[in-house]
Amino acid sequence: MPSEPDLEARFVALTRLLADGQPLWRPLPFQHRATPWGKHAPGLAEALLALPDDAVERLQAAPFEASPLAAWLPVAELAEAAALPDLSAGGAALPEAWGEGIGARKWRQLQAFAGCVAPAEGESLVEWCAGKGHLSRTLARLHGRPVTGLEWQAALCEAGQALAERQAQPVRLHRQDVLADDAGDWLEPGRRVTALHACGDLHARLLELAAERGAAVSLAPCCYHRTEASEYLALSRRGRALMAEHGLALCREDLAMAVQETVTAPQGVRRHRQRANAWRLGFDRLQREVRGDDAYLPVPSLAYGRLPDDFAGFCRWAAERKGVALPATLDWAAYETAGWRRLAEVSRLELVRHLYRRPLEVWLGLDRAWRLVEAGQRVRLGTFCTRELTPRNLLLETC
Ligand SMILES: C[S@@+](CC[C@H](N)C(=O)[O-])C[C@H]1O[C@@H](n2cnc3c(N)ncnc32)[C@H](O)[C@@H]1O
């Protein structure tokens, strides 16, 4: 189990690696027609563009294994600094009946997470941003003690309360905005606050309050980019100092990279996403030519299932949103083909970002851990399940 000095060494190493790699991992290849990283890493783009499809898929799934990028980038160092201990309890599966009303994957995630939460004698449990309180009910059953769930949506509180009562579990769902001034009243010494996949500002607030009040925490953070601030201000003093020392700067868009991993998406969803991306790139080529301006034009994203039926329909929708006047006749097939060709290039160039994705996520986990260390808490940071079950598998715990 890594001790705090180990975590600190990792924090320093990752800050340096991320800072040094900024010119390579920050640019978004789909926005650039030329090599996105300019004169850095000569020859890297050519090597990536020559990769066969199966190598691209392999490296997307396992960026650190047998990577040809190692000739340019510190692959082994990144892998070592980002490898976290497995904290999963490996306990027996919980009875299926406990998972009633919960999706199969979510239930497996909940079992893995709940199995890691080990409240001390007499410690009471609180769930932060509880939704319908699925985790609260599981914890109540597993540890045989009352759990308080905090959730701001009244409808979720009501539905969750009804579920808890039907299953005769001692769970109380309270309507609470966790960002409101009175949210800290739920955190006091003697309480352990649990949060599974709480987004950016919501889990940052939990850590602030836990640091101030000394509550214990079991947190699986998620969606770091869901935050008010457009420029990332490290939660810990150590994080802020390291960023300044190494010249690492992170904006909201950079934080989104930390959660862009799709290993768990079903085949159909992946294919749909690919088509949407190819069409976006086809439209990008088209809009540059039509506007006579060789610059990327951001197009809003479309919810799953809202993608028009064909490429022409997509371009008409995007053109309308962006105020681009399209000519009456166009060779749609040629632009669509150009989009698919460009997607093949972009997915190869994005392998660089894949390599830095997990290191960035672990760095953000370390910054959160360090906020608690600076408040005098003892912490451990590791994973609570495999990334196949959920890539958002970091667990930060006070112990
Ligand atoms: C990503 S879900 C996580 C739910 C649950 N922990 C799970 O894993 O299924 C986030 C939950 O946070 C709630 N939420 C969002 N903002 C909140 C706030 N300011 N205060 C309390 N709950 C909030 C949402 O309504 C939603 O139920």
Side-chain angles (χ1 to χ4, degrees), residues 34-89:
T35 308
W37 42 78
K39 293 189 173 45
H40 293 273
L44 173 59
E46 292 73 12
L48 291 174
L49 293 174
L51 287 173
D53 286 348
D54 55 349
V56 176
E57 274 175 37
R58 181 180 66 73
L59 290 164
Q60 283 170 342
F64 301 124
E65 280 167 35
S67 173
L69 283 75
W72 289 268
L73 300 170
V75 175
E77 272 185 89
L78 285 164
E80 192 188 333
L84 288 176
D86 174 6
L87 303 180
S88 64

Side-chain angles (χ1 to χ4, degrees), residues 111-375:
Q111 291 182 74
F113 184 81
C116 291
V117 176
E121 189 68 33
E123 213 169 48
S124 65
L125 290 169
V126 174
E127 184 189 1
W128 199 250
C129 300
K132 289 186 191 169
H134 295 322
L135 175 64
S136 298
R137 286 195 315 284
T138 311
L139 289 170
R141 285 184 126 140
L142 190 60
H143 298 293
R145 63 182 83 189
V147 183
T148 305
L150 307 177
E151 166 59 51
W152 73 347
Q153 291 193 51
L156 292 179
C157 289
E158 277 166 33
Q161 197 59 54
L163 270 173
E165 278 159 27
R166 206 165 67 225
Q167 296 178 11
Q169 291 311 308
V171 168
R172 278 263 139 247
L173 284 163
H174 282 272
R175 193 169 175 204
Q176 171 74 49
D177 175 358
V178 300
L179 301 178
D181 289 343
D182 59 354
D185 296 349
W186 298 99
L187 283 87
E188 8 179 272
R191 289 207 171 141
R192 175 167 292 272
V193 187
T194 63
L196 174 59
H197 296 161
C199 300
D201 284 344
L202 302 177
H203 73 243
R205 168 87 168 146
L206 163 59
L207 293 172
E208 260 333 293
L209 291 170
E212 263 171 35
R213 304 201 174 215
V217 171
S218 300
L219 163 70
C222 191
C223 297
Y224 306 89
H225 59 292
R226 299 232 171 126
T227 164
E228 273 288 301
S230 54
E231 297 301 317
Y232 184 70
L233 181 65
L235 273 56
S236 65
R237 288 193 302 279
R238 187 79 177 111
R240 291 195 287 277
L242 283 170
M243 286 179 85
E245 187 186 324
H246 292 269
L248 175 65
L250 299 168
C251 66
R252 197 190 285 125
E253 287 69 37
D254 297 331
L255 301 183
M257 179 175 86
V259 296
Q260 273 159 2
E261 191 181 16
T262 55
V263 281
T264 54
Q267 245 336 302
V269 175
R270 284 204 224 186
R271 261 200 304 275
H272 175 276
R273 206 171 286 161
Q274 278 205 322
R275 184 175 337 121
N277 288 341
W279 286 2
R280 278 172 181 279
L281 291 164
F283 176 74
D284 186 52
R285 164 69 76 87
L286 173 60
Q287 67 80 14
R288 285 176 198 247
E289 290 181 13
V290 169
R291 293 193 309 134
D293 181 0
D294 197 7
Y296 176 74
L297 193 63
V299 172
S301 52
L302 270 165
Y304 185 75
R306 304 293 298 274
L307 194 66
D309 290 337
D310 61 12
F311 176 65
F314 172 78
C315 290
R316 287 198 190 94
W317 169 82
E320 196 188 313
R321 298 300 297 258
K322 302 308 290 186
V324 176
L326 295 178
T329 54
L330 272 170
D331 186 350
W332 294 111
Y335 284 106
E336 185 175 1
T337 305
W340 281 101
R341 201 175 307 122
R342 184 84 185 110
L343 180 65
E345 290 172 9
V346 164
S347 2
R348 282 159 175 76
L349 299 173
E350 275 183 345
L351 290 173
V352 170
R353 285 170 60 80
H354 277 284
L355 194 64
Y356 283 89
R357 195 203 58 69
R358 183 66 169 182
L360 175 59
E361 184 175 17
V362 172
W363 187 91
L364 293 167
L366 286 162
D367 182 35
R368 280 144 183 75
W370 226 254
R371 177 68 189 91
L372 297 176
V373 170
E374 284 168 357

Side-chain angles (χ1 to χ4, degrees), residues 15-28:
T15 311
R16 180 180 57 74
L17 289 162
L18 286 165
D20 291 352
Q22 287 176 105
L24 291 143
W25 63 256
R26 175 155 301 116
L28 294 159

